[in-house]
Amino acid sequence: MAGYFVMEPCVIVAATLMAVGVVGVEMSSNSNRIETYEDFVKVHGVLLAASGLPQSLHRQLFQKLTTETFDAGSYFKIEVCEDGRQRRLVLDSQSMPKESNVFLVDHAWTFRLSDAFSQLQEVPGLAQRMASLMCVDTDLDTDIEEVDAVKGVLHENGTKSNVEDILESEIHNATEKGDGTVKWLELEDADIGDDMLLSLNLSSKFPDLQALSLCGNKLETVEIIVQEVTKLKNLRALWLNNNPVLKKCDHCMEDAILQGCPKLEIYNSNFTINFGEWALGFCGEVYDKDNPSSLCLRDRPLQSVTSLDLSNRCIHNLVNKAFSPAEMPSLSHLNIRGNPLEQNSVRELLEVLKGFPCLQSLGVDIPGPLGESAIEILESLPTLCTLNGVTASKILEEGKHVIDSMLQPRLPEWSADQPLADRVLSAMWLYLMTYRLANEEKIDETSVWYVMDELGSAVRHSDEPNFREYEKHCQKLQFKSLSYTPTKSSNTESLHRSDGCASRVYTDIPYVEEFLTRTEFVITTEPKDADIIWTSLQVDEDMKKATGITDQQYVNQFPFESCLVMKHHLAETVQKAHGSPEWLQPTYNLETHLPQLIGDYYVRKRDGLNNLWILKPWNMARTIDTSVTDDLSAVIRLMETGPKICQKYIEFPALFQGRKFDLRYIVLVRSMDPLEIFLSDVFWVRLANNPYSLDKHSFFEYETHFTVMNYGRKFNHMNTPDFVREFEVEHQVKWLEIHQRVKNTIRSVFEAAAVAHPEMHSSKSRAMYGVDIMLDSSFQPKLLEVLPFPFEVILYSAIVAESITEVANSSMFVVWFAA
């Protein structure tokens, strides 16, 4: 006997396939053996359908059973948990796309109940193995790796098919089965790099391709991927998961692919804004590799769909023509967990779901897009029998508003004086599964019981992540060591004109035009005539074409400076170069590192540490849409309001007269390679209005936890000398020592950008950045953010300090422009 389980993100669905000997299984009284995939489906079709195994994995299951491939050891490890009272299965590979693989599980012990005790006593090693598997062998000190090795639970199968062979096989199969048109192509883990992708010329070989999976390859170049993929005009689904290119590109590649493939409905397992009948059909198992849709879709193909799993598909708007009772009148089971659905109101979603006449089971986040109350959802959808795996009657009876289907850990019980066989008999009910044998005449009246092997028995359902993402994340950050070595000697060009005339400056910032009065510069209204461009707009190729700006003009921004001025990129840049420096709080991009954040949260909770976090939008300033919370559920819900980072809050900041403050420094960057930066000794102090407090209710008080008060609130400002003098007296410190640490931190930030993003260098760029710093209670600097050319902000602060002319016409400003 053998079992299988499907791996999905954070979910392992366990099941067992009956009578799966494959080789030697009889098809009929003629004793014909199963030899082909078609025979396999014919014999086991009912069981396969009942098991819930996605149809796209049926052929893979047949192949693994035929070859007895036990390859789970390449993806998973078993580790002890719950203080040694349980073992759990841990995903050990970097990632695994949803419904991408199926793994075989042996039965470690199969028996009739009446024979259990005798077998434990008489079969050599059985009681010891079962006791170890069920974690009731604490006096045996059995090492799980040795058990796995002896029993051969986790085998590896490293064979790979040649890509060209795969393509030829696909064409051959399509010719045999139909018109030779290949519509579904899976080229996963095939070592495909950029050059190979070009050489494969997929668009000419498979012009009608609708689904393409390139997961787990070595693709790195955005331009090449976009070029090749967008030739496939009929593409409905594209998977690029687990390719290096995804680690270094933003949404630019996705946007280009969506523009070039207007029919695309699934991109990297997520639904696109164009999703419709095809994507829903894929999730409803209408379409797969063996049954791709035709280009001319038949009428109402979703009529037969009864179960639809749309969880974690990044769906923003669920309401469209395809997702409707008219198209899916038989829908009875629906899972919409893990989707933001922020474009739909609660009322709108409930009205749509209410229209499905057969809907009996629903999975949804609570609190979530359908509201905060399970009872209210059930009252709005009276046809539901279960909500998140819990029966509707039980929810209503107990009056629970927030419910989930997660199971609590199951821990075996035993006493120290019990023999191993007795311990196993007591603990086995937590592990047993059962089936009955049958033939054409009758069903066996006595059940057969079985225990899955160490692999299958380690499958656990828990509130905690079943992967090592957080551990790997920490290890990755710990081993960073920045070695900044300029590749060029200083050769920064002077911007002074050789003819002695004043440099012409074009600007769209009124303050620059009004206060830049030095004789070395003159304002021009035509960008194409300027020597220097100082603009608040992004100078990209479109702007250059529209305004006549050339690559020979100097501009007040560096290319790719988003690696500094967007909060999620800033954290990635620092982590790439420095790992986890003390001056950067633990920071997670919630779009890509939610599992790592959850891991960090639970580790802190376990260790009794403070779990206060601050959520910041990627690219907003002035603390817009910024929140402070210690509630993980709140963090996950706040993700729905837009892309954010989640950063460990500085619970114990240095205070000034009992209030929080931060410091804005102005940094002039003249070159990235070699790095040439100038830091003003003048900084701006921003003070909170209320005394600082860690009272939980204060998290909602803006003027207690935030310092940006110059936008509609009372503005507290101090000039640099007064602040330094009073701060030194209050805390008995020397500001020069603190200032030196701040300077070291700021230089480290820009060194990180120079090392991690050499593409920033441009001999025609100069830039001014604002760097916000906070001090902790030990007076150590903590980086908050970096802002692009904040000249208006600088001048606003300078006006308050009555030093506007000094800033605009300072030697710093001249240094920025000229050597």
Side-chain angles (χ1 to χ4, degrees):
M1 300 295 292
Y4 71 90
F5 60 85
V6 183
M7 182 64 199
E8 298 183 0
C10 304
V11 178
I12 299 177
V13 182
T16 300
L17 188 63
M18 304 302 120
V20 167
V22 180
V23 179
V25 173
E26 295 185 357
M27 291 179 57
S28 67
S29 57
N30 296 327
S31 298
N32 294 325
R33 297 176 183 273
I34 294 178
E35 295 181 355
T36 67
Y37 172 68
E38 289 71 24
D39 291 341
F40 173 74
V41 174
K42 184 177 180 180
V43 173
H44 297 295
V46 175
L47 289 171
L48 287 167
S51 70
L53 178 69
Q55 191 174 356
S56 59
L57 294 175
H58 289 183
R59 184 178 293 275
Q60 187 181 131
L61 173 61
F62 169 72
Q63 292 171 345
K64 288 193 175 183
L65 286 167
T66 304
T67 58
E68 296 186 356
T69 301
F70 292 85
D71 59 346
S74 302
Y75 300 88
F76 303 98
K77 288 186 178 179
I78 300 172
E79 69 179 19
V80 175
C81 62
E82 299 296 333
D83 296 324
R85 299 182 66 193
Q86 277 192 313
R87 292 193 174 95
R88 62 186 174 192
L89 199 62
V90 176
L91 175 61
D92 199 53
S93 62
Q94 290 296 321
S95 65
M96 187 176 295
K98 183 176 181 180
E99 298 180 359
S100 65
N101 215 330
V102 60
F103 302 95
L104 301 188
V105 176
D106 277 336
H107 289 186
W109 181 25
T110 305
F111 59 96
R112 307 275 184 177
L113 197 55
S114 58
D115 301 326
F117 183 69
S118 60
Q119 288 186 13
L120 288 170
Q121 288 184 312
E122 298 169 6
V123 177
L126 178 61
Q128 288 80 1
R129 183 182 182 189
M130 290 299 102
S132 175
L133 182 151
M134 299 174 187
C135 300
V136 293
D137 65 335
T138 54
D139 54 334
L140 297 181
D141 195 24
T142 304
D143 186 82
I144 190 168
E145 283 77 13
E146 294 178 2
V147 173
D148 290 343
V150 173
K151 301 303 178 182
V153 175
L154 305 179
H155 300 290
E156 294 187 5
N157 184 355
T159 60
K160 290 185 178 179
S161 300
N162 180 275
V163 177
E164 294 293 343
D165 292 341
I166 295 175
L167 299 185
E168 291 179 8
S169 175
E170 292 290 345
I171 295 173
H172 175 73
N173 292 337
T175 302
E176 281 192 341
K177 295 179 180 180
D179 58 1
T181 300
V182 176
K183 298 178 182 177
W184 196 296
L185 189 58
E186 296 177 356
L187 300 175
E188 301 175 354
D189 300 309
D191 289 329
I192 298 175
D194 296 334
D195 293 339
M196 182 181 291
L197 182 63
L198 288 170
S199 67
L200 291 177
N201 198 13
L202 297 178
S203 59
S204 62
K205 295 177 182 176
F206 312 108
D208 297 322
L209 202 61
Q210 294 186 35
L212 173 62
S213 178
L214 294 167
C215 297
N217 285 293
K218 299 179 179 179
L219 300 173
E220 297 185 356
T221 306
V222 171
E223 292 75 14
I224 291 177
I225 296 171
V226 172
Q227 170 188 308
E228 294 304 299
V229 167
T230 53
K231 295 177 182 177
L232 301 165
K233 299 301 181 183
N234 293 311
L235 207 59
R236 302 275 187 174
L238 173 66
W239 293 276
L240 297 169
N241 310 63
N242 201 24
N243 274 281
V245 67
L246 297 182
K247 297 180 181 179
K248 56 183 179 181
C249 74
D250 299 323
H251 294 293
C252 58
M253 181 171 69
E254 179 180 355
D255 294 341
I257 290 175
L258 291 177
Q259 184 175 358
C261 300
K263 297 181 180 180
L264 197 67
E265 298 187 29
I266 295 178
Y267 176 77
N268 287 354
S269 303
N270 291 333
F271 280 18
T272 72
I273 59 173
N274 302 321
F275 88 88
E277 179 271 330
W278 197 96
L280 294 174
F282 172 80
C283 292
E285 300 184 17
V286 175
Y287 302 134
D288 56 29
K289 183 175 175 61
D290 297 315
N291 184 35
S293 67
S294 62
L295 295 179
C296 298
L297 299 176
R298 67 181 188 273
D299 292 336
R300 306 181 75 181
L302 303 179
Q303 288 287 296
S304 61
V305 173
T306 59
S307 181
L308 189 60
D309 185 357
L310 302 181
S311 59
N312 301 302
R313 292 290 184 177
C314 199
I315 302 173
H316 300 279
N317 185 353
L318 186 61
V319 180
N320 66 23
K321 182 179 179 181
F323 186 81
S324 69
E327 296 298 321
M328 294 182 287
S330 303
L331 185 64
S332 60
H333 296 77
L334 174 65
N335 185 355
I336 56 174
R337 287 183 176 226
N339 294 293
L341 298 176
E342 81 284 358
Q343 296 179 16
N344 301 126
S345 66
V346 173
R347 180 179 179 181
E348 185 179 22
L349 287 173
L350 288 173
E351 284 298 319
V352 172
L353 296 179
K354 192 183 299 182
F356 289 94
C358 301
L359 189 61
Q360 299 179 7
S361 175
L362 177 65
V364 63
D365 299 322
I366 304 175
L370 295 184
E372 300 181 352
S373 171
I375 295 176
E376 292 179 3
I377 294 174
L378 290 174
E379 291 174 346
S380 301
L381 304 174
T383 63
L384 289 184
C385 297
T386 61
L387 180 61
N388 290 352
V390 182
T391 61
S393 59
K394 184 176 181 180
I395 296 172
L396 296 173
E397 179 183 343
E398 297 182 356
K400 290 188 175 181
H401 290 274
V402 178
I403 52 95
D404 212 318
S405 58
M406 297 296 183
L407 302 179
Q408 294 299 316
R410 301 175 298 167
L411 303 178
E413 300 291 341
W414 76 95
S415 60
D417 57 349
Q418 279 184 313
L420 282 185
D422 291 342
R423 296 185 189 184
V424 171
L425 290 173
S426 298
M428 69 181 186
W429 297 104
L430 301 177
Y431 296 86
L432 290 183
M433 304 180 79
T434 186
Y435 61 88
R436 286 187 179 182
L437 296 177
N439 55 32
E440 295 178 355
E441 298 180 359
K442 67 174 183 178
I443 297 177
D444 196 332
E445 295 179 359
T446 305
S447 297
V448 176
W449 298 87
Y450 67 95
V451 177
M452 291 191 290
D453 62 18
E454 285 78 0
L455 177 69
S457 296
V459 175
R460 283 285 174 269
H461 300 274
S462 171
D463 290 334
E464 299 184 34
N466 67 335
F467 38 72
R468 289 181 177 166
E469 297 293 339
Y470 172 60
E471 180 182 349
K472 289 183 178 180
H473 181 71
C474 292
Q475 292 175 348
K476 182 179 178 181
L477 297 182
Q478 287 174 355
F479 292 103
K480 295 292 183 182
S481 178
L482 174 69
S483 178
Y484 171 71
T485 304
T487 60
K488 301 179 181 180
S489 58
S490 179
N491 59 352
T492 306
E493 302 173 10
S494 171
L495 274 68
H496 289 302
R497 292 169 59 104
S498 58
D499 57 7
C501 296
S503 295
R504 293 165 294 186
V505 178
Y506 168 79
T507 183
D508 57 4
I509 301 175
Y511 284 127
V512 176
E513 184 174 354
E514 180 179 357
F515 293 105
L516 182 60
T517 58
R518 293 186 67 105
T519 58
E520 295 98 321
F521 308 101
V522 62
I523 300 296
T524 179
T525 58
E526 288 295 328
K528 60 183 178 60
D529 297 331
D531 301 303
I532 300 166
I533 307 294
W534 186 309
T535 175
S536 59
L537 302 176
Q538 182 68 39
V539 180
D540 52 20
E541 292 302 318
D542 291 338
M543 182 180 178
K544 289 180 179 179
K545 290 179 182 179
T547 59
I549 294 176
T550 70
D551 292 335
Q552 303 307 311
Q553 293 169 289
Y554 290 84
V555 65
N556 68 320
Q557 54 195 255
F558 280 85
F560 303 101
E561 68 179 11
S562 62
C563 73
L564 285 172
V565 300
M566 294 188 72
K567 297 179 184 68
H568 62 308
H569 289 326
L570 173 62
E572 292 168 358
T573 297
V574 172
Q575 291 166 353
K576 185 176 181 180
H578 295 288
S580 182
E582 293 183 355
W583 43 266
L584 179 70
Q585 292 289 92
T587 305
Y588 300 93
N589 179 355
L590 292 180
E591 296 293 304
T592 58
H593 288 86
L594 180 60
Q596 290 87 334
L597 167 65
I598 294 174
D600 194 348
Y601 185 95
Y602 276 112
V603 167
R604 291 176 183 274
K605 183 177 181 180
R606 178 198 67 195
D607 296 340
L609 301 177
N610 182 285
N611 240 334
L612 196 56
W613 298 82
I614 183 168
L615 286 86
K616 308 175 184 178
W618 283 357
N619 57 350
M620 291 186 182
R622 298 163 21 204
T623 64
I624 294 174
D625 199 21
T626 299
S627 306
V628 178
T629 183
D630 60 358
D631 189 336
L632 183 59
S633 297
V635 170
I636 295 173
R637 287 304 312 283
L638 287 166
M639 292 171 57
E640 299 174 13
T641 63
K644 288 181 174 59
I645 64 167
C646 188
Q647 191 172 67
K648 188 66 193 66
Y649 194 66
I650 304 169
E651 311 95 43
F652 302 107
L655 302 178
F656 180 71
Q657 298 176 352
R659 294 174 292 162
K660 276 187 66 173
F661 68 92
D662 63 28
L663 312 172
R664 171 162 292 177
Y665 286 82
I666 306 305
V667 179
L668 308 179
V669 182
R670 197 165 65 178
S671 170
M672 291 298 296
D673 190 10
L675 183 62
E676 295 181 9
I677 62 177
F678 300 83
L679 178 66
S680 170
D681 288 335
V682 176
F683 53 83
W684 285 273
V685 183
R686 304 186 301 181
L687 296 164
N689 287 338
N690 296 342
Y692 182 66
S693 171
L694 278 178
D695 180 81
K696 194 164 187 175
H697 296 102
S698 75
F699 300 160
F700 302 96
E701 296 174 358
Y702 184 96
E703 297 189 22
T704 298
H705 288 273
F706 300 107
T707 61
V708 183
M709 299 299 162
N710 51 329
Y711 296 93
R713 291 179 172 86
K714 178 184 176 182
F715 177 61
N716 285 310
H717 176 279
M718 289 189 68
N719 59 41
T720 303
D722 291 344
F723 170 81
V724 169
R725 181 175 59 257
E726 294 185 29
F727 190 88
E728 287 183 327
V729 172
E730 179 179 350
H731 293 286
Q732 296 298 300
V733 294
K734 295 182 178 179
W735 185 259
L736 286 179
E737 296 176 357
I738 297 174
H739 187 59
Q740 184 59 49
R741 291 195 289 269
V742 170
K743 290 196 295 184
N744 293 341
T745 297
I746 291 176
R747 180 166 185 86
S748 295
V749 172
F750 287 90
E751 284 178 348
V755 171
H757 295 281
E759 65 270 21
M760 274 193 71
H761 176 67
S762 169
S763 62
K764 298 296 182 180
S765 292
R766 308 287 190 271
M768 177 181 285
Y769 299 97
V771 179
D772 290 347
I773 297 289
M774 184 173 287
L775 303 178
D776 66 14
S777 57
S778 299
F779 311 110
Q780 299 298 320
K782 301 287 185 178
L783 175 68
L784 299 183
E785 62 180 314
V786 178
L787 300 92
F789 42 88
F791 199 74
E792 294 184 17
V793 176
I794 297 168
L795 293 178
Y796 182 90
S797 300
I799 290 172
V800 177
E802 299 180 348
S803 58
I804 185 69
T805 305
E806 178 182 348
V807 173
N809 290 320
S810 67
S811 58
M812 287 196 318
F813 195 82
V814 178
V815 166
W816 186 90
F817 280 113

